């Protein structure tokens, strides 16, 4: 088999930070290649160069043996390269067919009109082969996230792409949608297509790829057949150190006094009779499958959504319903699962982003003037403790950070409020091993300072690794509460699936 | 389940249902309101603002706005009045006035796409400058039109369709076909939905956006001409405030100021006719004429409020149910 793609000494710099420092490797035709690395290691930059979004500062590429240097995504598409971004590039107000044909509508016999019938008919078999059982004229708005991704894949296949890049395709998918995606990836491979698969979920990489390329600090630190490398070794190559300790040692034990008490919280159709409490110094894990009502419950706790009956109190005093404002005043903080949408000010400096929520704390003087010096200093300390990859966090805009580092800024924003109770919904999703460890350490430090943490996750291993107790939710109800001594992957999973809860 | 489907149907068609309700209420309160003659007058009065609102819909679809349409109407009407007074025949006069509309639209587009000034400010400037130029030419003197122009409003196409309604219908059909069935039409919706994604998809966004302002300017000039045939003169305030009626009609018909959402038919047509119908209805039901603006605004406010409530309700209904339904 031949070489599909070759990178030779690729260089790229941003704002004086080196993103890619002489990257060279080859990808064999018809292989599925995993591309892994920490946030900011250069994966996205490299793929943006491949997809024609960015131009390299140095080095060269070849595709199918010919020189390759796309200056825009269209060039890349013409050479048969398709890039399926993490944030999908679809027009939600148009139909599936219109999204696929957006720049190449077939016209009706020499008129300027679109031949809708021809357009829709031509896609029926393609959609069917992807198991997307909708008419091509369905509006994309009506599709679930997993289905939308299939539309992106259909787009790539329709443009006859033979090299398809997937950037973190499973982060917004349910378990079932993920399985379906893997089946389709197999199908693509058997059709002779080459696939580059970027993911932080190493289990997935191990399962579906032929080769693994590891990037660290803009350099290739690993390149091997997937069969010859185990996950711990992948992690070593990613972080450059031995990593027996995925979780920090907990430095203090939880106390007896409760911070948050939730009593028979109910909202018809969403949650029913939810009871639990979070104590001082405790990390309470909440485990459940996607769609189990975890996020909805967290939104009620914080006051974003309302509920019909039950009570929520902090330090013994009930919290008013539906008022995020008073939740914040009472010391609650909420890192939601939609960190990207939740709004970083992209053009504003990192430290100012971190200081945003705590701004009132720094305007306590007579004229409500912002004490910018003190705020920047303290935001800087938070930024340093998060180990942000940036050359100057006081000047650099949030925009210049990689995806994972932007997520750290959002977490930092809430840390700066010195929360009494921190709710974190999937805080480690889409971030790398090193950053995950830092997030766990932050939880431990807060707990040691007598704060309480509600840690929502769908990764059972991390809950076991860091939580003091775990509440399992399913279909809007608390199925069981596990004490630390009873932690067990199988039992937790079984509870989440409501199988034989003993 | 059946209940839910009904609910959904009502929620998805609030504007239309409100339209029918108002129609029935006015009809019951004043049976003469339902006469064929009155309905024809309503449609006839809708024509000129409807044509402008169609152009506005194009602009709104891309997420833009065109405040200059009232001034474009004025400037092109003043020009045609001056040319006719100078002895020009009608056909070339109309052509020139439409060209002025196109030119105004093109200037808007240049300011917005080349100088990167936001549409609100760009068209605010051309709105003021356009009217200023008209005033400069006329010294704010009223321009009167000869009978040859005003008689056009009595022309019946095929012997029974008033000319202005015929042109309005033609504009609506052309715009509808363009938006629904042509490549550029669909790409307009794409640009309005996500301009960055549109560029990444290789869509030529600049010519598309330019075309919407040109279309809006052209329809403003055309609407202005139709209005002249109906009233026969152009005073200094001609067209002033019409930009807001056009925007109101499009928004009432479901167009979003954020772009990507809206339709010419039924949308904007329904919005335009509804505004005219309320005006006529208030006359027929003998509501104090000084209360008209207030009642009118309240009804429009209610329609827009309904639309906002409806969007929230629809979202709620589409939200998944987590707990098992136990029954």
């Amino acid at each position: 088999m031949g070489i599909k793609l070759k990178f030779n000494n690729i260089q790229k710099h941003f704002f004086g930070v080196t993103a890619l420092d002489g990257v060279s490797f080859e990808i064999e035709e018809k292989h599925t290649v995993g591309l892994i690395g920490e946030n900011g290691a250069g994966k996205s930059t490299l793929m943006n160069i491949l997809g024609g979004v960015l131009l390299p500062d140095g080095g060269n590429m070849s595709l199918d043996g010919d020189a390759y240097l796309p200056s825009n995504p269209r060039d890349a598409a013409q050479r048969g390269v398709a890039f399926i971004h993490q944030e999908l590039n679809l027009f939600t107000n148009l139909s599936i067919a219109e999204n696929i044909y957006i720049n190449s509508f077939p016209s009706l016999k020499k008129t300027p009109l679109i031949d809708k019938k021809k357009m829709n008919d031509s896609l029926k078999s393609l959609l069917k082969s992807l198991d997307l059982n909708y008419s091509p004229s369905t509006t994309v708005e009506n599709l679930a996230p997993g289905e939308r991704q299939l539309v992106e894949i259909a787009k790539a296949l329709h443009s006859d792409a033979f090299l398809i890049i997937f950037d973190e395709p499973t982060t917004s998918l349910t378990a079932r949608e993920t399985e379906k995606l893997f089946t389709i990836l197999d199908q693509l491979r058997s059709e002779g297509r080459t696939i580059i698969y970027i993911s932080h979920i190493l289990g997935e990489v191990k399962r579906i790829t032929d080769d693994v390329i590891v990037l660290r600090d803009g350099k290739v630190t690993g390149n091997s057949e997937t069969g010859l490398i185990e996950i711990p070794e992948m992690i070593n190559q990613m972080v450059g150190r031995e990593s027996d300790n995925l979780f920090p040692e907990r430095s203090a034990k939880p106390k007896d006094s409760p911070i948050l008490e939730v009593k028979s919280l109910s909202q018809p159709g969403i949650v029913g009779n939810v009871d639990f409490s979070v104590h001082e110094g405790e990390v309470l894990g909440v485990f459940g499958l996607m769609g189990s009502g975890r996020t909805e419950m967290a939104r009620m706790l914080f006051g974003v959504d309302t509920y019909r009956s039950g009570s929520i109190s902090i330090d013994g005093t009930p919290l008013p319903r539906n008022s995020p404002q008073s939740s914040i005043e009472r010391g609650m903080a909420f890192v939601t699962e939609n960190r990207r949408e939740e709004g970083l000010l992209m053009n504003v400096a990192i430290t100012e982003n971190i200081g945003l929520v705590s701004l009132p704390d720094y305007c306590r003087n007579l004229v409500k003037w912002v004490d910018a010096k003190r705020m920047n200093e303290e935001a800087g300390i938070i930024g340093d403790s998060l180990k942000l990859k940036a050359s100057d966090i006081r000047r650099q805009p949030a925009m210049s950070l990689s995806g994972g580092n932007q997520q750290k800024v959002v977490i930092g924003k809430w840390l700066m409020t010195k929360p009494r109770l921190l709710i974190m919904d999937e805080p480690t999703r889409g971030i790398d091993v090193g950053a995950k460890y830092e997030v766990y350490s932050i939880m431990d430090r807060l707990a040691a300072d007598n704060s309480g943490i509600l840690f929502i996750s769908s990764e059972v291993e991390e809950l076991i690794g860091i939580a003091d107790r775990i509440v399992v939710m399913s279909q809007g109800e608390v199925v069981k509460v596990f004490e630390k001594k009873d932690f067990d992957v199988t039992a937790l999973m079984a509870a989440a699936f409501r199988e034989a809860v003993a | 389940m059946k209940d839910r489907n009904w609910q959904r149907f009502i929620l998805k068609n609030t504007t239309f249902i409100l339209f029918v309700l108002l129609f029935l209420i006015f009809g019951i309160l004043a049976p003469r309101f339902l006469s064929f003659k009155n309905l024809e007058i309503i449609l006839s009065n809708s024509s000129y603002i409807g044509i402008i609102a169609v152009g506005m819909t194009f602009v709104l679809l891309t997420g833009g706005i065109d405040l200059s349409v009232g001034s474009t109407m004025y400037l092109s009407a003043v020009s045609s009045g001056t040319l006719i007074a100078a002895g020009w025949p009608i056909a070339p006069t109309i052509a020139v006035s439409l060209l002025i509309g196109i030119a105004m639209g093109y200037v808007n587009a240049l300011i917005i796409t080349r100088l990167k000034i936001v549409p609100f400010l760009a068209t605010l400037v051309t709105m003021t400058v356009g009217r200023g130029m008209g005033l400069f030419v006329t010294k704010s003197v009223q321009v009167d039109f000869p009978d040859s122009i005003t008689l056009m409003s009595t022309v019946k196409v095929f012997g029974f369709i008033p000319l202005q309604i015929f042109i309005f219908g033609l504009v609506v059909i052309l715009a509808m076909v363009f938006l629904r069935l042509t490549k550029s039409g669909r790409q307009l919706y794409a640009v309005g939905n996500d301009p960055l994604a549109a560029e990444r998809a290789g869509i030529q966004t600049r010519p598309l956006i330019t075309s919407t302002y040109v279309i809006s300017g052209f329809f403003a000039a055309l609407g202005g001409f139709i209005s002249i045939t109906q009233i026969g003169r152009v005073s200094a305030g001609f067209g002033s405030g019409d930009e807001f009626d056009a925007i109101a009609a499009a928004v009432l018909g479901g167009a979003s100021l954020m772009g990507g959402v809206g339709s010419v038919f039924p949308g904007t047509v329904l919005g335009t006719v509804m505004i005219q119908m309320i005006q006529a209805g208030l006359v027929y039901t003998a509501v104090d004429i000084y209360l008209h603006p207030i009642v009118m605004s309240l009804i429009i406010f209610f329609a827009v409020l309904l639309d906002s409530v409806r969007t929230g309700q629809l979202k709620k209904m589409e939200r998944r149910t987590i707990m098992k339904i136990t029954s």
Side-chain angles (χ1 to χ4, degrees):
Chain A
M1 269 188 284
I3 299 298
K4 180 76 185 170
L5 176 75
K6 197 168 166 178
F7 289 105
N8 185 20
N9 197 24
I10 301 290
Q11 308 272 349
K12 183 76 193 176
H13 311 275
F14 296 109
F15 299 95
V17 177
T18 302
L20 294 175
D21 187 9
V23 170
S24 307
F25 63 91
E26 293 172 350
I27 289 178
E28 272 188 69
E29 207 170 358
K30 299 177 190 175
H31 273 213
T32 298
V33 179
L35 181 63
I36 61 175
E38 293 191 278
N39 296 125
K43 299 173 307 241
S44 296
T45 309
L46 187 66
M47 290 304 109
N48 279 330
I49 289 172
L50 180 57
V53 182
L54 294 172
L55 281 172
D57 296 339
N60 56 61
M61 296 178 276
S62 69
L63 183 70
D64 299 318
D66 302 320
Y68 173 73
L69 185 69
S71 52
N72 58 52
R74 240 179 318 161
D75 284 357
Q78 267 162 15
R79 294 286 298 268
V81 176
F83 192 163
I84 296 174
H85 293 264
Q86 200 172 359
E87 288 112 44
L88 301 179
N89 236 341
L90 294 175
F91 305 106
T92 48
N93 57 350
L94 299 183
S95 75
I96 297 175
E98 286 168 340
N99 266 286
I100 293 173
Y101 275 103
I102 191 68
N103 232 341
S104 56
F105 286 110
S107 54
L108 196 64
K109 294 180 206 124
K110 293 181 183 166
T111 63
L113 303 185
I114 296 168
D115 191 340
K116 285 206 170 180
K117 191 170 173 327
K118 186 175 165 193
M119 176 170 84
N120 289 336
D121 287 350
S122 72
L123 293 176
K124 278 188 182 141
S125 59
L126 175 61
L127 296 190
K128 204 159 186 188
S129 75
L130 291 173
D131 204 12
L132 188 61
N133 297 315
Y134 285 97
S135 149
S137 59
T138 312
T139 311
V140 169
E141 208 165 30
N142 300 326
L143 304 182
E147 294 165 341
R148 292 183 190 190
Q149 192 161 47
L150 292 178
V151 176
E152 280 280 5
I153 297 174
K155 229 161 85 180
L157 298 186
H158 187 260
S159 71
D160 222 12
F162 266 81
L163 176 63
I164 307 178
I165 308 161
F166 287 87
D167 189 2
E168 302 253 9
T170 59
T171 41
S172 56
L173 301 189
T174 62
R176 194 182 304 156
E177 287 170 333
T178 304
E179 282 307 315
K180 194 167 160 184
L181 176 70
F182 289 170
T183 318
I184 285 161
L185 287 177
D186 274 342
Q187 190 183 323
L188 297 181
R189 186 186 354 207
S190 64
E191 290 167 6
R193 298 178 207 269
T194 309
I195 294 166
I196 300 179
Y197 188 89
I198 303 177
S199 181
H200 283 302
I201 305 171
L202 300 181
E204 287 179 358
V205 173
K206 179 80 186 156
R207 183 175 148 194
I208 62 165
T209 63
D210 301 307
D211 311 287
V212 184
I213 308 283
V214 187
L215 284 183
R216 182 172 79 231
D217 296 333
K219 293 189 184 104
V220 177
T221 52
N223 183 350
S224 50
E225 271 180 49
T226 310
L228 301 177
I229 178 170
E230 291 305 317
I231 290 177
E233 181 59 22
M234 291 184 197
I235 296 176
N236 285 348
Q237 293 175 352
M238 279 166 64
V239 298
R241 59 178 150 84
E242 288 294 325
S243 59
D244 318 319
N245 290 332
L246 289 175
F247 303 99
E249 202 60 37
R250 289 294 301 277
S251 44
K253 280 214 157 18
K255 313 249 171 18
D256 288 334
S257 43
I259 298 178
L260 173 77
E261 287 169 290
V262 180
K263 292 209 175 91
S264 22
L265 185 72
S266 299
Q267 167 74 5
I270 311 285
V271 293
N273 278 317
V274 170
D275 277 289
F276 66 85
S277 56
V278 181
H279 297 86
E280 277 192 342
E282 181 178 45
V283 177
L284 181 73
V286 177
F287 178 61
L289 305 174
M290 226 190 234
S292 60
R294 312 167 301 183
T295 300
E296 288 78 0
M297 179 207 54
R299 288 169 61 87
M300 286 174 205
L301 294 184
F302 195 63
V304 188
D305 288 343
T306 190
Y307 50 93
R308 183 166 292 175
S309 59
S311 73
I312 300 168
S313 47
I314 286 207
D315 293 321
T317 332
L319 204 63
R321 200 172 294 200
N322 222 345
S323 163
Q325 177 95 41
S326 49
S327 303
I328 293 174
E329 278 163 15
R330 298 282 295 281
M332 254 179 157
F334 186 17
V335 178
T336 70
E337 63 177 344
N338 292 326
R339 283 173 297 267
R340 279 162 202 271
E341 287 166 30
E342 213 201 344
L344 281 177
L345 306 176
M346 282 300 177
N347 294 316
V348 167
I350 297 165
T351 46
E352 285 180 46
N353 267 296
I354 294 177
L356 202 60
V357 192
S358 1
L359 212 49
D361 298 338
Y362 296 89
C363 328
R364 285 281 151 80
N365 45 28
L366 199 60
V367 283
K368 304 277 174 199
W369 196 268
V370 182
D371 186 351
K373 189 167 172 281
R374 197 163 59 89
M375 189 188 85
N376 271 322
E377 259 167 31
E378 290 186 27
I381 295 170
I382 300 257
D384 288 341
S385 74
L386 289 168
K387 306 207 172 93
L388 286 171
K389 216 162 236 170
S391 55
D392 183 355
I393 61 173
R394 287 177 181 220
R395 295 234 180 81
Q396 228 173 297
M399 184 172 58
S400 65
L401 293 175
S402 68
N405 278 302
Q406 288 180 1
Q407 292 180 3
K408 288 193 205 167
V409 174
V410 181
I411 295 175
K413 191 161 89 173
W414 288 107
L415 286 183
M416 183 120 166
T417 64
K418 304 195 179 70
R420 175 92 176 124
L421 180 82
L422 177 63
I423 304 173
M424 296 177 112
D425 194 359
E426 300 279 7
T428 62
R429 181 194 288 165
I431 67 176
D432 61 68
V433 193
K436 276 181 186 172
Y437 188 89
E438 283 147 29
V439 172
Y440 303 139
S441 311
I442 291 164
M443 290 189 205
D444 175 60
R445 248 180 309 168
L446 274 175
D449 284 345
N450 277 339
S451 295
I453 288 143
L454 192 70
F455 176 24
I456 302 172
S457 173
S458 39
E459 275 182 58
V460 75
E461 290 84 3
E462 66 174 6
L463 288 172
I464 292 177
I466 196 77
D468 295 303
R469 286 184 304 148
I470 298 176
V471 169
V472 180
M473 284 187 77
S474 166
Q475 290 171 328
E477 291 169 347
V478 171
V479 185
K480 198 175 173 191
V481 181
F482 287 81
E483 297 294 329
K484 192 151 196 147
K485 59 178 168 41
D486 303 325
F487 284 0
D488 173 62
V489 179
T490 333
L492 282 158
M493 289 300 283
F497 282 106
R498 290 210 164 179
E499 283 170 10
V501 185
Chain B
M1 223 47 220
K2 215 158 191 193
D3 277 8
R4 264 174 96 90
N5 285 340
W6 260 110
Q7 244 178 318
R8 198 174 299 240
F9 175 80
I10 291 174
L11 285 172
K12 286 212 162 151
N13 296 287
T14 45
T15 315
F16 183 70
I17 290 166
L18 188 70
F19 181 88
V20 172
L21 274 181
L22 284 170
F23 185 77
L24 291 178
I25 290 171
F26 285 135
I28 291 164
L29 291 178
R32 274 186 313 132
F33 175 82
L34 295 176
S35 70
F36 181 76
K37 187 71 205 152
N38 179 49
L39 299 184
E40 190 188 310
I41 290 172
I42 291 178
L43 260 189
S44 173
N45 287 346
S46 306
S47 300
Y48 91 90
I49 204 80
I51 290 170
I52 300 168
V54 167
M56 189 65 75
T57 308
F58 278 78
V59 173
L60 292 178
L61 273 176
T62 63
I65 197 161
D66 187 352
L67 299 179
S68 71
V69 289
S71 296
T72 303
M73 278 173 75
Y74 179 61
L75 190 59
S76 66
V78 160
S79 316
S80 46
T82 317
L83 291 178
I84 285 174
W88 278 47
I90 292 178
T93 305
I94 296 178
V96 168
S97 78
L98 295 180
L99 278 176
I100 288 176
I102 291 175
M104 280 285 279
Y106 194 65
V107 170
N108 281 330
L110 282 183
I111 300 178
I112 291 161
T113 61
R114 300 282 166 169
L115 304 181
K116 311 272 177 219
I117 290 176
V118 290
F120 188 95
L121 289 179
T123 59
L124 186 66
V125 168
T126 52
M127 165 176 133
T128 317
V129 172
R131 187 157 299 272
M133 279 161 61
L135 289 173
F136 181 77
V137 172
T138 60
K139 309 293 176 213
S140 87
V141 174
Q142 175 174 308
V143 182
D144 289 300
F145 286 79
D147 291 346
S148 54
I149 297 285
T150 50
L151 282 176
M152 288 170 86
S153 66
T154 60
V155 171
K156 307 262 177 176
V157 182
F158 307 128
F160 68 99
I161 310 172
L163 182 66
Q164 57 271 24
I165 297 182
F166 179 77
I167 294 178
F168 181 32
L170 209 63
V171 163
V172 167
I173 291 169
L174 282 177
M176 202 168 88
V177 169
F178 178 82
L179 286 179
R180 286 202 187 166
L181 294 176
T182 69
K183 176 178 166 180
S184 308
R186 301 319 288 166
Q187 290 187 339
L188 265 188
Y189 278 87
V191 171
N193 186 248
D194 189 341
L196 278 178
E199 288 213 358
R200 270 192 303 238
I203 295 175
Q204 304 278 345
T205 56
R206 189 184 282 170
L208 272 179
I209 290 174
T210 303
S211 74
T212 62
Y213 288 94
V214 170
I215 288 169
S216 175
F218 174 79
F219 282 162
L222 181 63
F225 186 78
I226 302 278
S227 180
I228 295 170
T229 65
Q230 290 173 310
I231 57 179
R233 61 177 185 279
V234 169
S235 63
F238 181 80
S240 152
D242 282 352
E243 56 276 344
F244 295 105
D245 285 350
I247 295 169
V251 171
L252 203 53
S256 158
L257 294 176
M258 311 302 291
V261 182
S263 68
V264 164
F265 187 85
T268 300
V269 172
L270 200 66
T272 316
V273 176
M274 190 146 123
I275 291 176
Q276 288 305 320
M277 183 178 83
I278 297 168
Q279 272 171 355
L282 292 176
V283 172
Y284 275 87
T285 50
V287 174
D288 182 347
I289 191 157
Y290 293 107
L291 283 177
H292 283 195
I294 299 177
V295 177
M296 178 88 187
S297 319
L298 284 179
I299 294 178
I300 292 181
F301 172 73
F302 181 67
V304 178
L305 178 72
L306 212 62
D307 185 68
S308 137
V309 171
R310 157 191 98 137
T311 321
Q313 282 292 333
L314 274 176
K315 270 219 179 104
K316 229 184 214 169
M317 287 179 75
E318 248 118 68
R319 208 190 291 165
R320 58 188 168 183
T321 317
I322 289 162
M323 293 173 71
K324 250 194 278 183
I325 297 150
T326 41
S327 66

